[in-house]
């Protein structure tokens, strides 16, 4: 499995991100998109976000997966909490978003979208990071 900072293999941010001095091994990217034999897998770091706050939905018409989660506020540290959210747009000829699996484990979001059997296409995912949710939707 090959991991990239984005589907194009290029940095998605115009300025380089500082690597965490506390990270001892593994990728320092905030998110990664990779391909397995059977799926496209996206990993997104969402530190402090509990699984109970994850909101996501699949839009099969537009072939999108949308997700949002908020880090709880900590007034004792004058921290209002960070808000995370984004969308992934998949190639409808290669990936079946209706069968997408989304889970948030220990502050890491995993989105897995299976490939359509018999299709030989590379990852063609357009990542869109959304900064503020317009409205929270129900959990699917």
């Amino acid at each position: 499995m090959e991991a990239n900072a984005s589907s194009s293999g290029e940095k998605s941010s115009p300025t380089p991100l500082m690597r965490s001095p506390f990270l001892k091994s593994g990728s320092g990217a905030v998110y990664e998109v990779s391909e397995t034999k059977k799926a496209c897998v996206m990993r997104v770091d969402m530190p402090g976000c509990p699984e109970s706050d994850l909101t996501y939905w699949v839009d099969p018409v537009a072939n999108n997966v949308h997700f949002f989660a908020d880090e709880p506020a900590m007034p004792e540290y004058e921290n209002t909490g960070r808000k995370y959210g984004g969308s992934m747009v998949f190639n409808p000829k290669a990936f079946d978003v209706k069968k997408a699996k989304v889970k948030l484990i220990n502050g890491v979001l995993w989105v897995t979208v299976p490939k359509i059997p018999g299709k030989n296409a590379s990852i063609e995912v357009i990542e869109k990071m959304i900064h503020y949710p317009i409205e929270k939707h129900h959990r699917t």
Side-chain angles (χ1 to χ4, degrees):
M1 178 169 40
E2 183 177 318
N4 296 320
S6 71
S7 62
S8 64
E10 298 176 6
K11 290 182 182 178
S12 61
S13 175
T15 57
L17 298 174
M18 184 169 70
R19 183 174 169 89
S20 170
F22 306 107
L23 180 66
K24 299 302 176 195
S25 66
S27 172
V30 176
Y31 74 96
E32 292 180 310
V33 178
S34 58
E35 182 178 9
T36 67
K37 291 180 181 181
K38 296 182 178 182
C40 175
V41 179
M42 183 173 186
R43 181 198 54 81
V44 181
D45 289 343
M46 300 170 75
C49 294
E51 182 182 8
S52 60
D53 194 54
L54 175 63
T55 301
Y56 69 90
W57 68 98
V58 174
D59 180 352
V61 174
N63 235 39
N64 296 344
V65 176
H66 307 277
F67 59 91
F68 296 99
D70 296 343
E71 174 189 37
M74 297 182 74
E76 65 272 24
Y77 298 111
E78 297 181 13
N79 180 352
T80 57
R82 294 174 283 186
K83 299 180 184 319
Y84 297 89
S87 297
M88 295 176 64
V89 182
F90 291 85
N91 177 347
K93 295 177 182 175
F95 297 97
D96 187 358
V97 296
K98 293 177 199 166
K99 294 181 181 174
K101 296 195 185 310
V102 179
K103 57 186 170 182
L104 182 62
I105 303 170
N106 297 326
V108 178
L109 178 72
W110 294 94
V111 179
T112 305
V113 180
K115 290 181 181 178
I116 296 173
K119 300 292 181 181
N120 190 11
S122 61
I123 300 175
E124 290 184 33
V125 177
I126 301 168
E127 300 101 8
K128 295 183 195 175
M129 292 298 158
I130 300 173
H131 300 289
Y132 302 101
I134 297 169
E135 172 184 331
K136 287 228 175 185
H137 291 74
H138 66 282
R139 253 181 120 166
T140 36

